[in-house]
Amino acid sequence: MVILAAILGAISITSGFIMDYYWFGSVGYLQVFMINIRYQLALLFIGWGITTICLLLILRTVRKSFSEEISGFGETFFKIISVFIGFGIGWWFKGAYLPVLKFLNQASWGVTDPVFNQDISFYVFTLPFLRTILTFIAVVSGIVLVLSFLTYGIGRSQYEARKEEMDISSEGSFWRVSQFLKSWPVRGSIITLTIVGAIFTLLGRYSHLWKFYPGASVPTGASYMAVNYLIPYTWVRVFGVLLFGYLIFHIFSNADKIRESIEFEDFGALRREAIIFVVIILIFLIIPGGVFGAINTLNVQPNEPGIQQPYIERCIDMTNQAYNLQNITETVYPTPENDLTSEEAWRSPTVRNARIVDYRPVKQTYQEKQRLRTYYEFHDVDVDRYSTGEEKQLVVISGREMSKLGGGWQNQHLYYTHGYGAVVSPASRTAPDGSPILEIRDIPPTDWGDISIKDEPRIYFGERTNSYAIVKANGLDEFDYPKGENNVSYRYEYDSGISIGNAWKKLVSWFYTGDFNILVSNYVGQDSKLLLHRNIHDRVAKIAPFLRFDPNGHLFITNNRLTYLLNGITQTERYPYSYSDGEAPGYLSDSVKAFVKANTGEVEFYITEEGDPMVETFSNIYPGLFKDGDDLPTGYREHLIYPQSLFNVQMKIFRRYHMKNYVPFYQREDIWTLAEEKYHGVSKRVEPYNILLDVTDRPGFEPNSEEFTLVQPFTPEDKRNMIAWLGVGQDPGNYGKIIAIKFPKGELFRGPMQVEAITDQDTEISQQFSLWEGAGSKVLRGNLLVLPVEDDILYIEPLYLSAETVAYPQLKRIVVVYRDTAVMENSLRNSVAMVLGEEITPGPTPGDNMAPPELVQVVQRYIELREEYQRLYNRGEYAAAGEIQEQIADLVENMRRLLGS
């Protein structure tokens, strides 16, 4: 039993490692796992061996200090403790495998810093490696020193106790404290720690390059004072560290003399020690705090910003390089000479495809109309573009994921294993009642022209799929989708997952998942497969944890199947003179795209940013992990999106770093701020949003009349007028290119909040708002869109009503603002036409029922009878179903009569 328990315990401890080995093999990235494991094991044994050897070498000194009186048990115990401590240090040291791998496989940056003239790869790859090695040496030396003192202290206390019991007055051969302080473990540790401390101090001079103070007039740490005084002074600090180490060494080596001088108050004999101590205080406290403080106050600050010019300019240039902002094409928006016409506006794909279907309220609509069963859920709504016919158009899309919780082990892991299908709606038009048009909907899903997911609509891997699943169960098919009173079954047809047909893998799976059922259930058969890490975010992070993935997983349709895109961003700290804060480490690059197939979980990584030294280094470390961007399939390339989290960081930085002249930068005189809007009645920052932008004649872009563009408007700090508008291209040919449209400072271009005020001040619109709210409805303002059109600006804002009788917001009006005029109409086309002076015939309002009341009643009765007929037919009550069918035929004739056909 003891042996069996030991075996099971060993399997339990190693189950994570074993299952990772199987899982990486099942997804085709076993080489990534093995490279990591090889280096982790190497560092584990190196750390373990070196630490254990150093500690065991103490044993000789310990034995001598105890007058060779250490017991066999004490010696054995010391050896065991040494081995365990060594293993602990090795376990910690193996976590440094990635800095070691990056150092050994580093790619050159090709850019040097202006202070030390070092390639940036030195700071990103070499310096962390050196710090890791030095930290390891310092930790081992510290443990040797502490364990030596601890062991000697315990032995000394026991020896003193025996002396008192046996009334022994002499020390015998037991080492005195002063003698022990001269031993090699103590002296060697002090020397090692002193040298390591000196090297750390010397390397610390580089840290000025990436010290950063985001809100300061001179935000970089490598400013005039640092470059001219603090960095050269590092050598003095190194001397101070060596001097401090020498002082400790000297005190330990002359402990008896120093103790006697103190006891006899012969302080003159301690003159050397006192002088060294004063020098150390002078080096580390007086000069940095007093002398350098005076220089900064009397010479530097009075001569700013001129004295700081080169350092501010370095900060601007290096920050823009590090965040890929140096190639932004900036243009000044022309002042419109003529009024925009309705024909010009509607000719623009930007206006025709204005996203009036807001992705936030549409999620509620999908949940209400297309959830279909309680065990389905729409986690997220993505904005994309698809070509339907001759024109590209914006759409919103959301996957119907499985969210079944509880109901027993079989239900959760074997039966309800996957979601089914997606819902797709055009973003620029709605149904007559104001709800989104469900072009792809229902189960099984409908087609939308050439866009189809009928070939493979199943979602085994998604953003809400957090539990494992067992497919190809023995004698049990999976639930596929509901159909009337029955359910359609399905058996997984792909080879994904870990085979768990034998007893060994069942045993390991039990320990890994904690589910004993896997081991004993008859449903787990020879062909059964275990699907792990089904959450797409966890899945890609498991394979490539060194990438920073955008939190939004983008679902799209290609080749009649559902696929997720996750943006992999490379990042690093220690980029000289670059902006850094909690969200921005110092360097970010949109370099990798990860694609996960929703049905099989197959993961592919593509490099989309050539020349990024970080991704080149990772490619050197993990050959075969990344595929070349030139091999990216067309179906993937057409649905690339720019990572919004990266765009947010870039926009936050660019709001100040668009200033290239050091004087306004220092004075902070032209800082922008992210524009605000009223969204659902609350003032908040305008989120970046997608539009189809006509960039045919737009500098910085290749010609494209329908460029899928992520945009962000800006206003001056503490003001409401619009100062700039930035957009990043996302279609092939323009992907990642950023343009900045700056509005002339001497003219008024209204910001979103000023446009909101124009809307509120319109008497007809405000009266309608009051009527709706007085009737118990809540007016919800959607995303306010700022659209450049023909060298002019249109503002478009959808309005939703949320009423107690409707479980989801419905689009009721579209507000369009042009200059000082606001118009609210029932359609985008009408609003645009009216605000630009075109006379129109009012049409039906979204949500208003235009059918005759009698026809409405007949249709409602028809729907009720159809549902009743389906229920009776599914239960096998064919006679009763036949009677219902006769009533339905009568209703059809009645509807034809009412329609006049």
Side-chain angles (χ1 to χ4, degrees), residues 699-749:
F701 277 165
E702 293 182 11
N704 184 357
S705 62
E706 300 170 325
E707 178 68 32
F708 187 57
T709 310
L710 183 66
V711 303
Q712 176 72 63
F714 287 90
T715 61
E717 192 172 45
D718 299 326
K719 294 182 181 179
R720 297 296 179 89
N721 60 291
M722 195 157 61
I723 190 67
W725 182 98
L726 270 77
V728 57
Q730 300 174 96
D731 282 336
N734 288 321
Y735 182 86
K737 296 179 180 178
I738 304 177
I739 60 170
I741 298 174
K742 294 185 175 181
F743 297 100
K745 294 182 179 179
E747 300 177 30
L748 175 61
F749 285 83

Side-chain angles (χ1 to χ4, degrees), residues 55 57-67 78 141-156 171 173-190 248-249 251-256:
L55 295 180
L57 288 175
I58 300 175
L59 189 59
R60 181 181 176 186
T61 303
V62 170
R63 190 184 295 115
K64 289 177 65 178
S65 69
F66 287 178
S67 306
F78 185 90
S141 301
I143 290 175
V144 168
L145 184 63
V146 170
L147 193 60
S148 298
F149 275 115
L150 184 63
T151 306
Y152 177 80
I154 294 172
R156 183 79 190 184
E171 289 284 337
S173 58
F174 197 96
W175 282 9
R176 292 175 290 109
V177 174
S178 59
Q179 189 177 0
F180 171 74
L181 294 178
K182 296 177 183 179
S183 63
W184 78 263
V186 176
R187 283 183 166 183
S189 296
I190 291 173
I248 300 299
F249 186 89
I251 291 173
F252 281 13
S253 300
N254 300 275
D256 286 340

Side-chain angles (χ1 to χ4, degrees), residues 18-31 33 497-498:
I18 297 170
M19 288 304 289
D20 279 351
Y21 175 81
Y22 289 141
W23 184 81
F24 274 92
S26 72
V27 297
Y29 291 105
L30 184 59
Q31 79 278 11
F33 176 77
I498 303 168

Side-chain angles (χ1 to χ4, degrees), residues 777-795:
S777 296
K778 187 175 182 181
V779 179
L780 305 177
R781 296 186 177 189
N783 202 182
L784 194 151
L785 309 176
V786 182
L787 305 180
V789 184
E790 297 285 339
D791 294 337
D792 219 321
I793 299 290
L794 271 182
Y795 305 87

Side-chain angles (χ1 to χ4, degrees), residues 2-16:
V2 174
I3 296 175
L4 178 61
I7 292 173
L8 292 177
I11 296 173
S12 176
I13 293 171
T14 59
S15 62

Side-chain angles (χ1 to χ4, degrees), residues 638-654:
E638 290 175 346
H639 294 280
L640 293 181
I641 62 164
Y642 198 79
Q644 186 169 321
S645 62
L646 173 59
F647 190 66
N648 287 336
V649 172
Q650 289 175 314
M651 295 302 97
K652 181 177 72 172
I653 294 172
F654 196 69

